[in-house]
Amino acid sequence: MRTALEIVDNVPEGVGMQRTSGESRIRFHVRDGAARLDRLYQQGAAKIRLPRPEPGRPPEAVLINTAGGLTGGDTMAFEVEVADGAHAVVTTQACEKIYKSSSGPAQVASRLSVGAHARLDWLPQETILFNRARLSRRLEADLADGATLLALEAVVFGRIAMGEVVASGSFHERWRIRRNGRLVFADDTRIDGSVADIASHPAVLAGGRAVATVVYVAENAEDYLERAREAVGESGGVTAFDGKLVARIISMDTLSLRRALVPLLAVLADGAPLPKVWHI
Amino acid sequence: MVTAIRTPEPRRDDRPAPEAMVEPLTPERLLKLQTWLSPGFPIGAFSYSHGLEWAIETGTVTDPEALGGWIGELLRRGSARNDAILFAETWRAAAGRNADALREVGELAESLATSRERHLETMAQGTAFLKAVTAAWSTPTIETFAGAHSNRAAYPVAVALATASHAIPLAHSLPAYLHAFVANLVSVAVRLVPLGQTNGLRVVSALTPLVLETARAAEKLTLDDLGSATVRSELFSIQHETQYSRIFRT
């Protein structure tokens, strides 16, 4: 079924559209011996749903974009804080869709903060780019001593099964992760212009459409290397050094991406069940 | 060696160091550049393939055309373009004696090497390079940097620091750096594919315009412009870690 914004893809340029903007902030802390919601703020199209956690499981926050997608000039901002000793899981209700832009890029900024000996699992679903989409997304994370961060960012450049081709557009993704103020992981992906042509190059994606980057920053990150390699199989690769593990996966579509991603996330979550949206 | 014996006067940190004033490329400066970027300079460049060994092993790079395409994409929108941006930023920061900017670019250059082998490749070569220039071509700028950075540096940062500090213009040092990167990867393919010396030289020659264009563009870019599209080259550098039989360290 096509959503309203997908149909808008065919609207002639110059037709005015209202900009979408949203900002949500959430904080978890430990109270009565368990991680719980401390504060929640939401404004505009960025909403947060908090399903009742299973007994003994960390709280889960589900990010929702009530606008149903983003286009040029739209802005979304998420801020997640996990206080000392707490553990929380954050995911998204749906795959974020980025539609044709006739102006600047849609901007998505996420700021994560993980306290001492706390843990955050940041597991948004894939973002789907449509033809002529422009997206700039940033993920900034600050970790304290003994903090653990499991973070995923995934993108699909047009769904093959739907016959979508991203002939042109732009995609910028910036990661910056710091521990005690010191930069420990930085990554910048930038695909600008004739996206499908560029992606066909053997050094880029060799025609692949779906890309995931998974970063696990923890004092014992290297201990997961062998099991993580087995989990991703041949469509990806896993490396680990200096207290971090990094996995990259390139696939033809969302389904094959998830076949590698879900087992990998299961390893890095120590066998804890993934959010329901990740069940394949 | 004029610069090495000059006694530095006390000066504000933001004023260009005398040895970094932009001056023409004199024969003396050219010789330094040639020495530092020679394949024989003791940083072990010959032992790093930047993941190309895995690209050859898997049949992705099998001939001169595929090799030129692979390296060309690294220059156009991959790791070599990023290194060019880091080089230019370092050069300007070193020329301006901006310790904060040097710290930022140094930290970023190390953190952007997100696989174990990319990290090894840039930090081992950069640190060896810094050690060599500290020993034989030292300047106050190089000494100060080495002291503030535990004698470690990413490779583009180390070379840019040395060239800025010896007043070798960015317009010459940056393309020379990129050319050395290209020549090193071509020599990997000449040995591994194997390609043959003449074919290798043709690839180097054909990529020269792109080397110059990448360097010229990077001179005007900043850290905000960083960004690579060559995800598969990054992935190959990771997959090289588990390559069963291999000659290169990366």
Side-chain angles (χ1 to χ4, degrees):
Chain A
M1 195 184 75
R2 280 157 72 85
T3 65
L5 271 160
E6 280 172 78
I7 293 159
V8 165
D9 199 37
N10 297 318
V11 171
E13 285 190 43
V15 173
M17 278 179 55
Q18 202 169 353
R19 296 274 181 259
T20 296
S21 78
E23 186 185 349
S24 61
R25 295 197 289 267
I26 191 164
R27 183 176 197 271
F28 296 93
H29 69 162
V30 175
R31 194 163 47 84
D32 304 330
R36 294 167 203 278
L37 174 70
D38 179 29
R39 282 200 297 271
L40 173 64
Y41 167 88
Q42 41 192 2
Q43 174 250 309
K47 296 280 188 269
I48 296 183
R49 193 169 60 83
L50 290 153
R52 182 178 294 277
E54 304 287 319
R57 301 294 315 144
E60 190 179 304
V62 181
L63 308 179
I64 300 167
N65 173 5
T66 56
L70 298 173
T71 180
D74 292 351
T75 57
M76 292 290 266
F78 302 102
E79 227 176 280
V80 181
E81 185 185 348
V82 185
D84 293 357
H87 179 189
V89 178
V90 179
T91 186
T92 56
Q93 170 107 325
C95 291
E96 184 71 282
K97 291 174 177 167
I98 313 294
Y99 299 100
K100 181 178 93 169
S101 164
S102 43
S103 52
Q107 309 216 30
V108 179
S110 307
R111 180 173 285 278
L112 317 178
S113 163
V114 192
H117 304 286
R119 173 176 176 135
L120 172 61
D121 293 32
W122 170 259
L123 305 172
Q125 297 190 63
E126 304 86 350
T127 293
I128 298 168
L129 264 61
F130 286 79
N131 192 25
R132 299 175 67 188
R134 301 184 64 191
L135 172 65
S136 168
R137 99 177 150 189
R138 286 166 172 263
L139 179 76
E140 302 235 1
D142 284 294
L143 278 59
D145 275 329
T148 296
L149 173 69
L150 170 59
L152 154 73
E153 293 283 19
V155 61
V156 177
F157 297 98
R159 294 169 297 187
I160 288 184
M162 311 289 275
E164 298 159 0
V165 175
V166 183
S168 73
S170 76
F171 173 72
H172 296 176
E173 179 174 279
R174 170 159 293 184
W175 291 70
R176 298 288 183 268
I177 301 176
R178 294 179 174 80
R179 189 188 286 278
N180 293 324
R182 194 176 72 86
L183 194 63
V184 294
F185 178 83
D187 195 44
D188 283 274
T189 303
R190 182 181 293 267
I191 302 182
D192 263 336
S194 310
V195 173
D197 278 354
I198 294 168
S200 69
H201 194 282
V204 180
L205 302 179
R209 300 289 193 93
V211 181
T213 305
V214 174
V215 181
Y216 180 68
V217 185
E219 281 163 359
N220 65 346
E222 283 134 282
D223 298 346
Y224 290 82
L225 180 58
E226 290 310 318
R227 278 176 294 149
R229 276 179 178 154
E230 276 173 36
V232 298
E234 294 198 340
S235 63
V238 187
T239 184
F241 64 106
D242 290 352
K244 65 192 167 196
L245 177 148
V246 179
R248 293 187 192 272
I249 304 166
I250 301 174
S251 298
M252 284 314 289
D253 56 30
T254 306
L255 186 64
S256 47
L257 186 77
R258 288 191 173 208
R259 281 201 191 105
L261 199 47
V262 170
L264 171 67
L265 295 176
V267 165
L268 298 174
D270 280 320
L274 295 172
K276 286 198 177 62
V277 294
W278 279 103
H279 293 177
I280 43 173
Chain B
M1 293 283 204
V2 174
T3 54
I5 55 168
R6 181 183 290 143
T7 310
E9 292 164 16
R11 56 182 163 254
R12 289 208 332 269
D13 214 36
D14 57 351
R15 238 175 55 197
E19 73 257 31
M21 294 299 225
V22 177
E23 289 166 39
L25 182 72
T26 60
E28 184 200 350
R29 293 174 184 140
L30 176 62
L31 295 185
K32 287 177 191 164
L33 193 57
Q34 232 179 344
T35 307
W36 297 342
L37 293 172
S38 142
F41 201 63
I43 60 166
F46 59 86
S47 59
Y48 302 102
S49 95
H50 204 68
L52 182 58
E53 183 170 28
W54 182 246
I56 293 167
E57 171 79 14
T58 54
T60 306
V61 171
T62 53
D63 56 27
E65 199 190 347
L67 177 68
W70 184 268
I71 302 173
E73 202 64 1
L74 299 182
L75 287 163
R76 233 176 257 114
R77 45 179 77 88
S79 49
R81 174 182 176 274
N82 271 355
D83 279 357
I85 294 171
L86 295 167
F87 190 110
E89 282 279 31
T90 305
W91 198 99
R92 287 187 291 264
R97 297 222 145 198
N98 186 337
D100 289 342
L102 278 174
R103 197 172 308 114
E104 187 190 357
V105 69
E107 189 182 50
L108 193 53
E110 177 167 8
S111 299
L112 281 167
T114 60
S115 76
R116 185 163 57 79
E117 294 191 351
R118 282 282 160 89
H119 185 260
L120 170 74
E121 185 173 319
T122 197
M123 294 311 293
Q125 291 187 95
T127 299
F129 185 93
L130 187 61
K131 187 180 170 197
V133 293
T134 306
W137 291 273
S138 195
T139 67
T141 305
I142 294 173
E143 294 279 348
T144 306
F145 179 94
H149 293 250
S150 316
N151 299 307
R152 296 169 76 248
Y155 186 42
V157 170
V159 181
L161 171 78
T163 56
S165 166
H166 284 266
I168 302 168
L170 182 59
H172 293 91
S173 52
L174 179 48
Y177 173 85
L178 291 176
H179 174 80
F181 172 81
V182 169
N184 191 55
L185 289 194
V186 168
S187 89
V188 168
V190 165
R191 283 175 280 168
L192 275 185
V193 173
L195 271 192
Q197 292 288 352
T198 309
N199 279 330
L201 294 174
R202 285 190 185 119
V203 173
V204 172
S205 162
L207 285 171
T208 300
L210 187 54
V211 163
L212 295 171
E213 191 188 317
T214 304
R216 262 197 305 271
E219 276 192 54
K220 295 178 193 72
L221 300 177
T222 69
L223 298 180
D224 271 345
D225 299 300
L226 286 166
S228 152
T230 53
V231 182
R232 208 151 167 262
S233 159
E234 297 285 329
L235 177 59
F236 277 23
S237 95
I238 294 174
Q239 291 174 329
H240 183 263
E241 291 179 21
T242 50
Q243 182 168 336
Y244 177 67
S245 164
R246 56 195 208 149
I247 296 168
F248 293 87
R249 296 180 78 189
T250 68

